[in-house]
């Protein structure tokens, strides 16, 4: 089954303790992205990757890191989490079509992170 | 980032009623998408629109790409309880690169049996 898999689904952590949220897709998609969803703010892009070893900042990158060493994996790293990073996080992937996309994203099921 | 204005923010309707929601942008888009998010899940693509004036249906759902290329509309006919969820619009700017899509803030739909 074609899918984007995120782990964990739920995570409670303490301020300052480094954590990684994993994301993997089995569709051979070039493009992957991380979003956070907060009430009233919709989905805001954190980082995206156009291909292996190519990553770039989205609209709200502060406090986050990503890496793209393999095509299928795109982990989100919080080096020193803070309470304002408590949110619902989604990983997404899509086929990349040069010069603009005619395809939408496939989303993972989400990771609900609470930082206390 | 690009701002998409989606309205209404929430709707409470009786089962069987029709639903309309819309999304507007400040710039021209070349792709509009509509997603639905069920509670506890990620958004799932409902309809994709690729040119101005395009009207596309998916069962009881119909979406339109506005002729100005700055807006899009989603209609749901004869709503049923499983239509409950949050509906998001997403758009790709005409001047954008790669796969950058911007999302609206969502319309929360509640259907009362």
């Amino acid at each position: 089954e074609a899918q984007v898999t995120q782990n964990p689904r739920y995570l409670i952590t303490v301020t300052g303790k480094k954590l990684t949220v994993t994301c993997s897709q089995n569709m051979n998609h070039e493009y992957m992205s991380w979003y956070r969803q907060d009430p009233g703010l919709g989905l805001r892009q954190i980082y995206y990757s156009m291909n292996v070893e190519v990553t770039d900042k989205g609209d709200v990158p502060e406090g986050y890191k990503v890496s793209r060493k393999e095509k299928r994996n795109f982990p989100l790293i919080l080096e020193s989490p803070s309470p304002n990073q408590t949110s619902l996080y989604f990983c997404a992937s899509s086929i990349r079509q040069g010069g603009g996309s005619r395809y939408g994203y496939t989303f993972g099921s989400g990771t609900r992170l609470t930082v206390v | 980032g690009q701002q998409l204005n989606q309205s209404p923010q929430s709707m409470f309707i009786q089962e069987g009623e029709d639903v309309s929601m819309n999304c507007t942008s400040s710039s021209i888009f070349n792709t509009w998408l509509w997603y639905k998010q069920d509670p506890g899940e990620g958004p799932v693509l409902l309809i994709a629109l690729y040119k101005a004036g395009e009207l596309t249906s998916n069962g009881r759902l119909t979406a339109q790409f506005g002729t100005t290329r700055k807006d899009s509309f989603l209609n749901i006919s004869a709503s049923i309880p499983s239509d409950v969820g949050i509906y998001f619009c997403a758009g790709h700017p005409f001047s954008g690169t790669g796969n950058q899509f911007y999302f609206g803030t969502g319309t929360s739909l509640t259907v009362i049996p």
Side-chain angles (χ1 to χ4, degrees), chain A residues 9 37 45 94-95 102 105, chain B residues 35 37 40 50 88 99-100:
Chain A
R9 288 293 305 269
Q37 184 179 20
Q45 191 177 52
S94 75
I95 296 170
R102 291 174 59 81
Y105 301 146
Chain B
Y35 284 86
Q37 183 180 19
Y50 302 120
F88 289 100
N99 289 54
Q100 177 68 334

Side-chain angles (χ1 to χ4, degrees), chain B residues 28-93:
Chain B
I28 293 173
F29 279 22
N30 63 13
T31 302
W32 282 100
L33 308 174
W34 285 93
Y35 284 86
K36 182 194 177 194
Q37 183 180 19
D38 289 326
E41 298 296 328
V44 174
L45 184 64
L46 298 172
I47 294 178
L49 303 160
Y50 302 120
K51 59 181 181 181
E54 182 179 355
L55 191 69
T56 298
S57 292
N58 178 4
R60 294 178 293 105
L61 279 62
T62 301
Q64 183 166 22
F65 193 139
T67 54
T68 66
R69 303 175 76 178
K70 292 185 177 182
D71 53 11
S72 181
F73 310 91
L74 176 69
N75 295 311
I76 305 173
S77 63
S79 58
I80 59 178
S82 62
D83 290 335
V84 165
I86 303 175
Y87 292 80
F88 289 100
C89 61
H92 184 271

